Amino acid sequence: MSSCLYSENLCRHVSIQKIYIARNPKDVAVSCYHFLQMILEQDVINGLPTSPYQRFKDYLSDFLQCRGRPQLISYDGSLWSQHVLPWWHKRHDTNVLFLKYEVMFKDLNTSIRQIANFLDVGLDTDIIEKITHHCSFQSMKTNKMALKANYCANTEIGRASCRERV
């Protein structure tokens, strides 16, 4: 189950194992900026009354203040202190695995082994290598299901959902 729920909503269930992946907030800001620009530019192409941010500086101000369009794609408007920090405080709980995106990106194979160990799933080396390959940045770049350009364009429901969020 993938979720953007706050820790207090999930951590009440002590028996459930939770994997939380945090990302450097600077990287989140840049990534969300480009994602939001892609959505807004697609809306302009489709004739909808929206416009992309003209400068990153303007976007960053909204992002840091959790206001306007960025708050809809930035941890549900709560940003770091209300979303990531509570999970960080639970990182030593036996049912929580706290991972960092940047570490996973540098050594995906080790991260997959760590996840498998946490879930108590025995995986042989061949399976770990296959998972590592399919989850690699290079593989994801060619996976049509993972491409951002397809995020809103695949269905009418997807396009409507993205417009509602922005």
Side-chain angles (χ1 to χ4, degrees):
M1 172 175 114
S2 175
S3 173
C4 290
L5 291 175
Y6 300 117
S7 69
E8 65 268 13
N9 294 342
L10 281 175
C11 286
R12 283 185 245 151
H13 306 285
V14 177
S15 63
I16 298 173
Q17 292 175 291
K18 301 148 196 102
I19 300 171
Y20 188 86
I21 302 171
R23 192 169 181 192
N24 181 311
K26 292 183 278 185
D27 291 341
V28 172
V30 171
S31 181
C32 286
Y33 171 76
H34 289 293
F35 181 71
L36 185 60
Q37 293 294 86
M38 184 258 318
I39 293 171
L40 295 175
E41 287 169 6
Q42 188 62 43
D43 281 354
V44 169
I45 290 169
N46 292 333
L48 297 170
T50 60
S51 61
Y53 283 90
Q54 297 303 312
R55 300 177 308 172
F56 179 76
K57 182 172 110 174
D58 299 331
Y59 163 83
L60 188 59
S61 175
D62 282 353
F63 180 85
L64 292 173
Q65 298 299 317
C66 293
R67 66 175 183 234
R69 293 174 179 151
Q71 86 178 60
L72 298 174
I73 59 173
S74 307
Y75 302 119
D76 192 29
S78 64
L79 218 57
W80 202 255
S81 65
Q82 293 175 322
H83 201 285
V84 179
L85 197 55
W87 283 106
W88 174 254
H89 291 307
K90 295 180 183 314
R91 72 190 182 280
H92 296 299
D93 292 1
T94 58
N95 66 326
V96 174
L97 177 60
F98 188 97
L99 299 172
K100 295 178 184 173
Y101 174 84
E102 293 77 17
V103 172
M104 291 181 70
F105 187 82
K106 285 181 186 174
D107 190 359
L108 184 56
N109 190 288
T110 298
S111 296
I112 290 167
R113 290 175 191 279
Q114 192 176 6
I115 292 168
N117 288 337
F118 174 73
L119 297 174
D120 199 25
V121 175
L123 298 177
D124 62 33
T125 304
D126 290 343
I127 296 295
I128 289 174
E129 291 302 321
K130 286 180 183 178
I131 294 169
T132 301
H133 168 74
H134 287 293
C135 293
S136 70
F137 184 73
Q138 196 61 33
S139 179
M140 295 299 273
K141 279 177 35 177
T142 61
N143 182 337
K144 290 182 180 180
M145 296 301 291
L147 294 175
K148 285 194 289 186
N150 294 328
Y151 183 79
C152 293
N154 285 337
T155 66
E156 282 298 318
I157 294 170
R159 287 190 292 275
S161 172
C162 284
R163 282 195 296 275
E164 288 170 13
R165 293 187 72 189
V166 182

